[in-house]
Amino acid sequence: LTLQMKLEEPKQQRPSSPTKAPSSPKKQGAFGRFFGSPKKRKEESKIQEIKRPVTPPSFYELVQGLVAKDGSFARAYVSLNEHEKKAYGRPYSVDIKCFNEWAMEEVSVGSSRSKKSVTQLQRRPPYEIGKLELLLLYVPKPKGAKDEDMPKSMNSAVRAMREAEERMQHTSSIQEFQGHLSQQGGDCPVG
């Protein structure tokens, strides 16, 4: 089983280009930094913060590197043969571990001779991210039955099995007798 989410890449919005080039902050020498007022430095930093509005990252950016491009984020492996006997004719609940197989991580790759290293994205080994609770029910298909005769949902299968069980209990309460019946005179009303 693979779990997916709808993941749409946001449309890139380019910031509007200003008509006037932004003026670069005045560079101060060592004396200017040493003798400059801290109040002035605070004002300059506030102006820079106002100029650059901080936008929170989008959901797409937050999950990038954890989710596949098609939105897949978890995979669960289920062997139905293991659960067939326990789910035969009755609902059976089981917890299945889910693994993320799409996560990427940055790995630094570099030679031992050079001090430069390059970071590359590499797929992370699968790791558990949660559990999936499944409700299983195994109803074998009787011989000669068509697909239309089989229940379409688990609820209809459970309902049909309850009805069959009630019919069996009702017919088992009726007693059957077999043998000869004789009468010692008189008429018996038939009806």
Side-chain angles (χ1 to χ4, degrees):
L1 299 172
T2 302
L3 303 178
Q4 292 181 328
M5 67 173 104
K6 284 189 177 181
L7 190 62
E8 295 178 9
E9 191 171 344
K11 296 176 181 170
Q12 298 293 331
Q13 295 178 351
R14 294 184 180 185
S16 59
S17 60
T19 55
K20 198 175 187 183
S23 61
S24 60
K26 294 180 182 178
K27 294 182 180 178
Q28 296 179 348
F31 288 112
R33 274 184 257 130
F34 183 71
F35 291 111
S37 83
K39 193 175 191 182
K40 200 172 194 180
R41 272 186 250 139
K42 281 184 183 179
E43 288 175 7
E44 287 177 3
S45 67
K46 285 181 183 177
I47 291 171
Q48 287 179 354
E49 286 177 11
I50 292 171
K51 287 181 183 176
R52 287 183 277 133
V54 178
T55 58
S58 68
F59 180 73
Y60 180 82
E61 293 169 343
L62 289 173
V63 298
Q64 197 171 15
L66 296 174
V67 177
K69 289 183 180 181
D70 66 346
S72 301
F73 65 94
R75 182 167 286 157
Y77 296 95
V78 182
S79 174
L80 295 176
N81 291 336
E82 290 179 20
H83 307 289
E84 184 179 330
K85 289 181 182 175
K86 294 177 183 172
Y88 187 87
R90 65 177 179 268
Y92 171 67
S93 179
V94 63
D95 289 334
I96 306 292
K97 292 180 182 180
C98 295
F99 298 93
N100 186 333
E101 298 178 350
W102 297 272
M104 303 292 275
E105 64 183 351
E106 290 183 359
V107 177
S108 60
V109 178
S111 64
S112 59
R113 294 180 202 156
S114 67
K115 292 183 180 178
K116 293 181 181 179
S117 64
V118 178
T119 58
Q120 291 181 340
L121 283 177
Q122 184 178 4
R123 185 164 278 175
R124 228 178 126 174
Y127 60 96
E128 184 179 340
I129 61 168
K131 289 186 180 180
L132 189 63
E133 184 179 333
L134 297 178
L135 189 61
L136 304 174
L137 172 67
Y138 175 62
V139 179
K141 187 175 179 180
K143 291 181 183 177
K146 299 176 185 175
D147 287 339
E148 297 86 36
D149 299 335
M150 297 300 291
K152 302 295 181 222
S153 69
M154 188 180 294
N155 286 338
S156 63
V158 170
R159 195 176 324 111
M161 287 190 305
R162 278 195 197 128
E163 290 171 2
E165 187 178 343
E166 287 174 6
R167 271 189 263 129
M168 290 297 293
Q169 287 177 354
H170 180 70
T171 57
S172 66
S173 65
I174 298 174
Q175 295 182 356
E176 292 184 18
F177 297 100
Q178 192 173 15
H180 296 288
L181 179 63
S182 65
Q183 182 177 350
Q184 299 281 332
D187 290 336
C188 288
V190 179

PDB file of all heavy atoms in Angstrom, residues 80-110:
ATOM      1  N   LEU A  80      -1.217 -10.758   2.765  1.00  0.00           N
ATOM      2  CA  LEU A  80      -2.573 -11.202   3.094  1.00  0.00           C
ATOM      3  C   LEU A  80      -2.624 -12.665   3.527  1.00  0.00           C
ATOM      4  O   LEU A  80      -3.513 -13.055   4.269  1.00  0.00           O
ATOM      5  CB  LEU A  80      -3.495 -10.964   1.897  1.00  0.00           C
ATOM      6  CG  LEU A  80      -3.691  -9.495   1.532  1.00  0.00           C
ATOM      7  CD1 LEU A  80      -4.544  -9.383   0.281  1.00  0.00           C
ATOM      8  CD2 LEU A  80      -4.308  -8.717   2.665  1.00  0.00           C
ATOM      9  N   ASN A  81      -1.654 -13.465   3.086  1.00  0.00           N
ATOM     10  CA  ASN A  81      -1.621 -14.880   3.494  1.00  0.00           C
ATOM     11  C   ASN A  81      -1.436 -15.022   4.997  1.00  0.00           C
ATOM     12  O   ASN A  81      -1.944 -15.964   5.598  1.00  0.00           O
ATOM     13  CB  ASN A  81      -0.499 -15.614   2.766  1.00  0.00           C
ATOM     14  CG  ASN A  81      -0.781 -15.749   1.286  1.00  0.00           C
ATOM     15  OD1 ASN A  81      -1.941 -15.714   0.868  1.00  0.00           O
ATOM     16  ND2 ASN A  81       0.261 -15.888   0.496  1.00  0.00           N
ATOM     17  N   GLU A  82      -0.715 -14.087   5.612  1.00  0.00           N
ATOM     18  CA  GLU A  82      -0.501 -14.145   7.071  1.00  0.00           C
ATOM     19  C   GLU A  82      -1.796 -13.934   7.842  1.00  0.00           C
ATOM     20  O   GLU A  82      -1.975 -14.458   8.930  1.00  0.00           O
ATOM     21  CB  GLU A  82       0.500 -13.067   7.503  1.00  0.00           C
ATOM     22  CG  GLU A  82       1.911 -13.301   7.072  1.00  0.00           C
ATOM     23  CD  GLU A  82       2.826 -12.173   7.535  1.00  0.00           C
ATOM     24  OE1 GLU A  82       2.467 -11.436   8.479  1.00  0.00           O
ATOM     25  OE2 GLU A  82       3.899 -12.032   6.942  1.00  0.00           O
ATOM     26  N   HIS A  83      -2.709 -13.137   7.289  1.00  0.00           N
ATOM     27  CA  HIS A  83      -3.915 -12.736   8.017  1.00  0.00           C
ATOM     28  C   HIS A  83      -5.169 -13.468   7.546  1.00  0.00           C
ATOM     29  O   HIS A  83      -6.248 -13.247   8.078  1.00  0.00           O
ATOM     30  CB  HIS A  83      -4.122 -11.227   7.872  1.00  0.00           C
ATOM     31  CG  HIS A  83      -2.920 -10.423   8.245  1.00  0.00           C
ATOM     32  ND1 HIS A  83      -2.491 -10.302   9.540  1.00  0.00           N
ATOM     33  CD2 HIS A  83      -2.047  -9.711   7.487  1.00  0.00           C
ATOM     34  CE1 HIS A  83      -1.397  -9.542   9.570  1.00  0.00           C
ATOM     35  NE2 HIS A  83      -1.108  -9.176   8.338  1.00  0.00           N
ATOM     36  N   GLU A  84      -5.040 -14.361   6.567  1.00  0.00           N
ATOM     37  CA  GLU A  84      -6.206 -15.018   5.973  1.00  0.00           C
ATOM     38  C   GLU A  84      -6.987 -15.840   6.996  1.00  0.00           C
ATOM     39  O   GLU A  84      -8.215 -15.746   7.072  1.00  0.00           O
ATOM     40  CB  GLU A  84      -5.760 -15.904   4.813  1.00  0.00           C
ATOM     41  CG  GLU A  84      -6.886 -16.563   4.068  1.00  0.00           C
ATOM     42  CD  GLU A  84      -6.388 -17.402   2.911  1.00  0.00           C
ATOM     43  OE1 GLU A  84      -5.342 -17.073   2.322  1.00  0.00           O
ATOM     44  OE2 GLU A  84      -7.048 -18.412   2.616  1.00  0.00           O
ATOM     45  N   LYS A  85      -6.292 -16.621   7.814  1.00  0.00           N
ATOM     46  CA  LYS A  85      -6.985 -17.492   8.776  1.00  0.00           C
ATOM     47  C   LYS A  85      -7.686 -16.689   9.866  1.00  0.00           C
ATOM     48  O   LYS A  85      -8.785 -17.035  10.290  1.00  0.00           O
ATOM     49  CB  LYS A  85      -5.995 -18.469   9.411  1.00  0.00           C
ATOM     50  CG  LYS A  85      -5.523 -19.527   8.443  1.00  0.00           C
ATOM     51  CD  LYS A  85      -4.568 -20.489   9.085  1.00  0.00           C
ATOM     52  CE  LYS A  85      -4.074 -21.517   8.078  1.00  0.00           C
ATOM     53  NZ  LYS A  85      -3.055 -22.393   8.623  1.00  0.00           N
ATOM     54  N   LYS A  86      -7.055 -15.602  10.319  1.00  0.00           N
ATOM     55  CA  LYS A  86      -7.652 -14.797  11.388  1.00  0.00           C
ATOM     56  C   LYS A  86      -8.824 -13.962  10.882  1.00  0.00           C
ATOM     57  O   LYS A  86      -9.722 -13.631  11.654  1.00  0.00           O
ATOM     58  CB  LYS A  86      -6.594 -13.887  12.011  1.00  0.00           C
ATOM     59  CG  LYS A  86      -5.515 -14.668  12.733  1.00  0.00           C
ATOM     60  CD  LYS A  86      -4.452 -13.757  13.271  1.00  0.00           C
ATOM     61  CE  LYS A  86      -3.344 -14.566  13.928  1.00  0.00           C
ATOM     62  NZ  LYS A  86      -2.209 -13.735  14.307  1.00  0.00           N
ATOM     63  N   ALA A  87      -8.813 -13.593   9.592  1.00  0.00           N
ATOM     64  CA  ALA A  87      -9.867 -12.749   9.029  1.00  0.00           C
ATOM     65  C   ALA A  87     -10.926 -13.567   8.304  1.00  0.00           C
ATOM     66  O   ALA A  87     -11.805 -13.000   7.665  1.00  0.00           O
ATOM     67  CB  ALA A  87      -9.241 -11.736   8.069  1.00  0.00           C
ATOM     68  N   TYR A  88     -10.884 -14.881   8.405  1.00  0.00           N
ATOM     69  CA  TYR A  88     -11.818 -15.745   7.685  1.00  0.00           C
ATOM     70  C   TYR A  88     -13.211 -15.620   8.300  1.00  0.00           C
ATOM     71  O   TYR A  88     -13.456 -16.050   9.430  1.00  0.00           O
ATOM     72  CB  TYR A  88     -11.342 -17.194   7.739  1.00  0.00           C
ATOM     73  CG  TYR A  88     -12.144 -18.146   6.886  1.00  0.00           C
ATOM     74  CD1 TYR A  88     -11.816 -18.327   5.552  1.00  0.00           C
ATOM     75  CD2 TYR A  88     -13.225 -18.840   7.404  1.00  0.00           C
ATOM     76  CE1 TYR A  88     -12.548 -19.190   4.755  1.00  0.00           C
ATOM     77  CE2 TYR A  88     -13.959 -19.701   6.625  1.00  0.00           C
ATOM     78  CZ  TYR A  88     -13.622 -19.876   5.292  1.00  0.00           C
ATOM     79  OH  TYR A  88     -14.353 -20.725   4.506  1.00  0.00           O
ATOM     80  N   GLY A  89     -14.113 -14.968   7.583  1.00  0.00           N
ATOM     81  CA  GLY A  89     -15.510 -14.891   8.016  1.00  0.00           C
ATOM     82  C   GLY A  89     -15.805 -13.889   9.109  1.00  0.00           C
ATOM     83  O   GLY A  89     -16.940 -13.781   9.549  1.00  0.00           O
ATOM     84  N   ARG A  90     -14.827 -13.140   9.555  1.00  0.00           N
ATOM     85  CA  ARG A  90     -15.088 -12.127  10.592  1.00  0.00           C
ATOM     86  C   ARG A  90     -14.075 -10.987  10.447  1.00  0.00           C
ATOM     87  O   ARG A  90     -12.941 -11.193  10.020  1.00  0.00           O
ATOM     88  CB  ARG A  90     -15.014 -12.737  11.987  1.00  0.00           C
ATOM     89  CG  ARG A  90     -13.652 -13.239  12.370  1.00  0.00           C
ATOM     90  CD  ARG A  90     -13.665 -13.767  13.821  1.00  0.00           C
ATOM     91  NE  ARG A  90     -12.375 -14.278  14.186  1.00  0.00           N
ATOM     92  CZ  ARG A  90     -11.992 -15.538  14.044  1.00  0.00           C
ATOM     93  NH1 ARG A  90     -12.809 -16.421  13.524  1.00  0.00           N
ATOM     94  NH2 ARG A  90     -10.793 -15.919  14.413  1.00  0.00           N
ATOM     95  N   PRO A  91     -14.473  -9.777  10.822  1.00  0.00           N
ATOM     96  CA  PRO A  91     -13.553  -8.634  10.730  1.00  0.00           C
ATOM     97  C   PRO A  91     -12.370  -8.821  11.675  1.00  0.00           C
ATOM     98  O   PRO A  91     -12.529  -9.295  12.802  1.00  0.00           O
ATOM     99  CB  PRO A  91     -14.406  -7.440  11.152  1.00  0.00           C
ATOM    100  CG  PRO A  91     -15.813  -7.882  10.970  1.00  0.00           C
ATOM    101  CD  PRO A  91     -15.819  -9.355  11.191  1.00  0.00           C
ATOM    102  N   TYR A  92     -11.207  -8.454  11.212  1.00  0.00           N
ATOM    103  CA  TYR A  92      -9.967  -8.627  11.975  1.00  0.00           C
ATOM    104  C   TYR A  92      -9.143  -7.348  11.829  1.00  0.00           C
ATOM    105  O   TYR A  92      -8.879  -6.889  10.725  1.00  0.00           O
ATOM    106  CB  TYR A  92      -9.208  -9.843  11.439  1.00  0.00           C
ATOM    107  CG  TYR A  92      -7.816 -10.021  11.995  1.00  0.00           C
ATOM    108  CD1 TYR A  92      -7.607 -10.337  13.335  1.00  0.00           C
ATOM    109  CD2 TYR A  92      -6.703  -9.884  11.171  1.00  0.00           C
ATOM    110  CE1 TYR A  92      -6.330 -10.509  13.831  1.00  0.00           C
ATOM    111  CE2 TYR A  92      -5.429 -10.059  11.664  1.00  0.00           C
ATOM    112  CZ  TYR A  92      -5.246 -10.367  12.995  1.00  0.00           C
ATOM    113  OH  TYR A  92      -3.980 -10.539  13.487  1.00  0.00           O
ATOM    114  N   SER A  93      -8.753  -6.763  12.949  1.00  0.00           N
ATOM    115  CA  SER A  93      -7.991  -5.514  12.945  1.00  0.00           C
ATOM    116  C   SER A  93      -6.504  -5.816  13.112  1.00  0.00           C
ATOM    117  O   SER A  93      -6.124  -6.646  13.940  1.00  0.00           O
ATOM    118  CB  SER A  93      -8.472  -4.619  14.094  1.00  0.00           C
ATOM    119  OG  SER A  93      -7.738  -3.434  14.105  1.00  0.00           O
ATOM    120  N   VAL A  94      -5.675  -5.137  12.320  1.00  0.00           N
ATOM    121  CA  VAL A  94      -4.236  -5.356  12.379  1.00  0.00           C
ATOM    122  C   VAL A  94      -3.524  -4.007  12.158  1.00  0.00           C
ATOM    123  O   VAL A  94      -4.012  -3.161  11.414  1.00  0.00           O
ATOM    124  CB  VAL A  94      -3.791  -6.402  11.329  1.00  0.00           C
ATOM    125  CG1 VAL A  94      -4.055  -5.932   9.917  1.00  0.00           C
ATOM    126  CG2 VAL A  94      -2.344  -6.773  11.484  1.00  0.00           C
ATOM    127  N   ASP A  95      -2.413  -3.802  12.856  1.00  0.00           N
ATOM    128  CA  ASP A  95      -1.587  -2.602  12.685  1.00  0.00           C
ATOM    129  C   ASP A  95      -0.411  -2.939  11.780  1.00  0.00           C
ATOM    130  O   ASP A  95       0.314  -3.900  12.027  1.00  0.00           O
ATOM    131  CB  ASP A  95      -1.044  -2.098  14.034  1.00  0.00           C
ATOM    132  CG  ASP A  95      -2.138  -1.494  14.898  1.00  0.00           C
ATOM    133  OD1 ASP A  95      -3.142  -1.026  14.334  1.00  0.00           O
ATOM    134  OD2 ASP A  95      -1.990  -1.484  16.135  1.00  0.00           O
ATOM    135  N   ILE A  96      -0.214  -2.131  10.744  1.00  0.00           N
ATOM    136  CA  ILE A  96       0.856  -2.325   9.774  1.00  0.00           C
ATOM    137  C   ILE A  96       1.776  -1.106   9.843  1.00  0.00           C
ATOM    138  O   ILE A  96       1.304   0.030   9.857  1.00  0.00           O
ATOM    139  CB  ILE A  96       0.289  -2.459   8.340  1.00  0.00           C
ATOM    140  CG1 ILE A  96      -0.764  -3.561   8.261  1.00  0.00           C
ATOM    141  CG2 ILE A  96       1.400  -2.665   7.329  1.00  0.00           C
ATOM    142  CD1 ILE A  96      -0.240  -4.958   8.445  1.00  0.00           C
ATOM    143  N   LYS A  97       3.089  -1.340   9.886  1.00  0.00           N
ATOM    144  CA  LYS A  97       4.059  -0.245   9.930  1.00  0.00           C
ATOM    145  C   LYS A  97       4.167   0.415   8.563  1.00  0.00           C
ATOM    146  O   LYS A  97       4.149  -0.257   7.531  1.00  0.00           O
ATOM    147  CB  LYS A  97       5.437  -0.761  10.347  1.00  0.00           C
ATOM    148  CG  LYS A  97       5.495  -1.241  11.763  1.00  0.00           C
ATOM    149  CD  LYS A  97       6.882  -1.734  12.110  1.00  0.00           C
ATOM    150  CE  LYS A  97       6.917  -2.260  13.532  1.00  0.00           C
ATOM    151  NZ  LYS A  97       8.252  -2.747  13.887  1.00  0.00           N
ATOM    152  N   CYS A  98       4.282   1.744   8.569  1.00  0.00           N
ATOM    153  CA  CYS A  98       4.455   2.519   7.338  1.00  0.00           C
ATOM    154  C   CYS A  98       5.878   3.073   7.306  1.00  0.00           C
ATOM    155  O   CYS A  98       6.382   3.557   8.326  1.00  0.00           O
ATOM    156  CB  CYS A  98       3.475   3.674   7.276  1.00  0.00           C
ATOM    157  SG  CYS A  98       1.771   3.151   7.178  1.00  0.00           S
ATOM    158  N   PHE A  99       6.494   3.017   6.141  1.00  0.00           N
ATOM    159  CA  PHE A  99       7.868   3.464   5.971  1.00  0.00           C
ATOM    160  C   PHE A  99       7.942   4.576   4.935  1.00  0.00           C
ATOM    161  O   PHE A  99       7.232   4.543   3.930  1.00  0.00           O
ATOM    162  CB  PHE A  99       8.760   2.301   5.510  1.00  0.00           C
ATOM    163  CG  PHE A  99       8.841   1.181   6.488  1.00  0.00           C
ATOM    164  CD1 PHE A  99       7.982   0.104   6.410  1.00  0.00           C
ATOM    165  CD2 PHE A  99       9.776   1.209   7.504  1.00  0.00           C
ATOM    166  CE1 PHE A  99       8.048  -0.940   7.318  1.00  0.00           C
ATOM    167  CE2 PHE A  99       9.854   0.175   8.419  1.00  0.00           C
ATOM    168  CZ  PHE A  99       8.991  -0.898   8.333  1.00  0.00           C
ATOM    169  N   ASN A 100       8.816   5.545   5.171  1.00  0.00           N
ATOM    170  CA  ASN A 100       9.099   6.585   4.181  1.00  0.00           C
ATOM    171  C   ASN A 100      10.295   6.110   3.381  1.00  0.00           C
ATOM    172  O   ASN A 100      11.380   5.919   3.924  1.00  0.00           O
ATOM    173  CB  ASN A 100       9.395   7.921   4.849  1.00  0.00           C
ATOM    174  CG  ASN A 100       9.557   9.040   3.841  1.00  0.00           C
ATOM    175  OD1 ASN A 100       9.939   8.828   2.695  1.00  0.00           O
ATOM    176  ND2 ASN A 100       9.259  10.241   4.277  1.00  0.00           N
ATOM    177  N   GLU A 101      10.093   5.946   2.081  1.00  0.00           N
ATOM    178  CA  GLU A 101      11.165   5.476   1.198  1.00  0.00           C
ATOM    179  C   GLU A 101      11.622   6.562   0.233  1.00  0.00           C
ATOM    180  O   GLU A 101      12.397   6.300  -0.672  1.00  0.00           O
ATOM    181  CB  GLU A 101      10.672   4.263   0.398  1.00  0.00           C
ATOM    182  CG  GLU A 101      10.318   3.093   1.272  1.00  0.00           C
ATOM    183  CD  GLU A 101       9.789   1.911   0.487  1.00  0.00           C
ATOM    184  OE1 GLU A 101       9.522   2.054  -0.719  1.00  0.00           O
ATOM    185  OE2 GLU A 101       9.645   0.844   1.099  1.00  0.00           O
ATOM    186  N   TRP A 102      11.140   7.799   0.426  1.00  0.00           N
ATOM    187  CA  TRP A 102      11.432   8.861  -0.530  1.00  0.00           C
ATOM    188  C   TRP A 102      12.263   9.986   0.071  1.00  0.00           C
ATOM    189  O   TRP A 102      12.612  10.930  -0.628  1.00  0.00           O
ATOM    190  CB  TRP A 102      10.130   9.441  -1.079  1.00  0.00           C
ATOM    191  CG  TRP A 102       9.352   8.426  -1.830  1.00  0.00           C
ATOM    192  CD1 TRP A 102       9.472   8.132  -3.150  1.00  0.00           C
ATOM    193  CD2 TRP A 102       8.363   7.542  -1.324  1.00  0.00           C
ATOM    194  NE1 TRP A 102       8.622   7.126  -3.486  1.00  0.00           N
ATOM    195  CE2 TRP A 102       7.918   6.729  -2.390  1.00  0.00           C
ATOM    196  CE3 TRP A 102       7.796   7.329  -0.064  1.00  0.00           C
ATOM    197  CZ2 TRP A 102       6.945   5.758  -2.240  1.00  0.00           C
ATOM    198  CZ3 TRP A 102       6.840   6.367   0.072  1.00  0.00           C
ATOM    199  CH2 TRP A 102       6.425   5.593  -1.002  1.00  0.00           C
ATOM    200  N   ALA A 103      12.587   9.911   1.344  1.00  0.00           N
ATOM    201  CA  ALA A 103      13.309  11.003   2.001  1.00  0.00           C
ATOM    202  C   ALA A 103      14.715  11.141   1.426  1.00  0.00           C
ATOM    203  O   ALA A 103      15.382  10.157   1.137  1.00  0.00           O
ATOM    204  CB  ALA A 103      13.373  10.764   3.507  1.00  0.00           C
ATOM    205  N   MET A 104      15.127  12.390   1.273  1.00  0.00           N
ATOM    206  CA  MET A 104      16.466  12.695   0.771  1.00  0.00           C
ATOM    207  C   MET A 104      17.230  13.408   1.888  1.00  0.00           C
ATOM    208  O   MET A 104      16.644  14.107   2.704  1.00  0.00           O
ATOM    209  CB  MET A 104      16.394  13.606  -0.455  1.00  0.00           C
ATOM    210  CG  MET A 104      15.562  13.042  -1.596  1.00  0.00           C
ATOM    211  SD  MET A 104      16.285  11.627  -2.364  1.00  0.00           S
ATOM    212  CE  MET A 104      17.366  12.394  -3.519  1.00  0.00           C
ATOM    213  N   GLU A 105      18.540  13.217   1.910  1.00  0.00           N
ATOM    214  CA  GLU A 105      19.373  13.913   2.881  1.00  0.00           C
ATOM    215  C   GLU A 105      20.635  14.401   2.187  1.00  0.00           C
ATOM    216  O   GLU A 105      21.072  13.834   1.188  1.00  0.00           O
ATOM    217  CB  GLU A 105      19.716  13.005   4.065  1.00  0.00           C
ATOM    218  CG  GLU A 105      20.559  11.802   3.724  1.00  0.00           C
ATOM    219  CD  GLU A 105      20.814  10.898   4.917  1.00  0.00           C
ATOM    220  OE1 GLU A 105      20.483  11.285   6.044  1.00  0.00           O
ATOM    221  OE2 GLU A 105      21.349   9.808   4.714  1.00  0.00           O
ATOM    222  N   GLU A 106      21.196  15.476   2.732  1.00  0.00           N
ATOM    223  CA  GLU A 106      22.422  16.020   2.163  1.00  0.00           C
ATOM    224  C   GLU A 106      23.615  15.258   2.714  1.00  0.00           C
ATOM    225  O   GLU A 106      23.731  15.062   3.915  1.00  0.00           O
ATOM    226  CB  GLU A 106      22.558  17.504   2.499  1.00  0.00           C
ATOM    227  CG  GLU A 106      21.561  18.373   1.777  1.00  0.00           C
ATOM    228  CD  GLU A 106      21.767  19.844   2.061  1.00  0.00           C
ATOM    229  OE1 GLU A 106      22.678  20.189   2.838  1.00  0.00           O
ATOM    230  OE2 GLU A 106      21.015  20.646   1.501  1.00  0.00           O
ATOM    231  N   VAL A 107      24.480  14.833   1.801  1.00  0.00           N
ATOM    232  CA  VAL A 107      25.683  14.092   2.180  1.00  0.00           C
ATOM    233  C   VAL A 107      26.865  14.838   1.590  1.00  0.00           C
ATOM    234  O   VAL A 107      26.862  15.190   0.415  1.00  0.00           O
ATOM    235  CB  VAL A 107      25.637  12.647   1.636  1.00  0.00           C
ATOM    236  CG1 VAL A 107      26.907  11.906   1.973  1.00  0.00           C
ATOM    237  CG2 VAL A 107      24.431  11.910   2.196  1.00  0.00           C
ATOM    238  N   SER A 108      27.872  15.085   2.435  1.00  0.00           N
ATOM    239  CA  SER A 108      29.061  15.775   1.918  1.00  0.00           C
ATOM    240  C   SER A 108      30.001  14.741   1.313  1.00  0.00           C
ATOM    241  O   SER A 108      30.334  13.739   1.919  1.00  0.00           O
ATOM    242  CB  SER A 108      29.759  16.553   3.031  1.00  0.00           C
ATOM    243  OG  SER A 108      30.166  15.683   4.050  1.00  0.00           O
ATOM    244  N   VAL A 109      30.384  15.015   0.069  1.00  0.00           N
ATOM    245  CA  VAL A 109      31.263  14.120  -0.666  1.00  0.00           C
ATOM    246  C   VAL A 109      32.523  14.906  -1.011  1.00  0.00           C
ATOM    247  O   VAL A 109      32.461  15.968  -1.598  1.00  0.00           O
ATOM    248  CB  VAL A 109      30.588  13.623  -1.966  1.00  0.00           C
ATOM    249  CG1 VAL A 109      31.518  12.728  -2.740  1.00  0.00           C
ATOM    250  CG2 VAL A 109      29.281  12.931  -1.640  1.00  0.00           C
ATOM    251  N   GLY A 110      33.652  14.384  -0.612  1.00  0.00           N
ATOM    252  CA  GLY A 110      34.910  15.061  -0.899  1.00  0.00           C
ATOM    253  C   GLY A 110      36.063  14.100  -0.776  1.00  0.00           C
ATOM    254  O   GLY A 110      35.962  13.047  -0.152  1.00  0.00           O
TER     255      GLY A 110
END
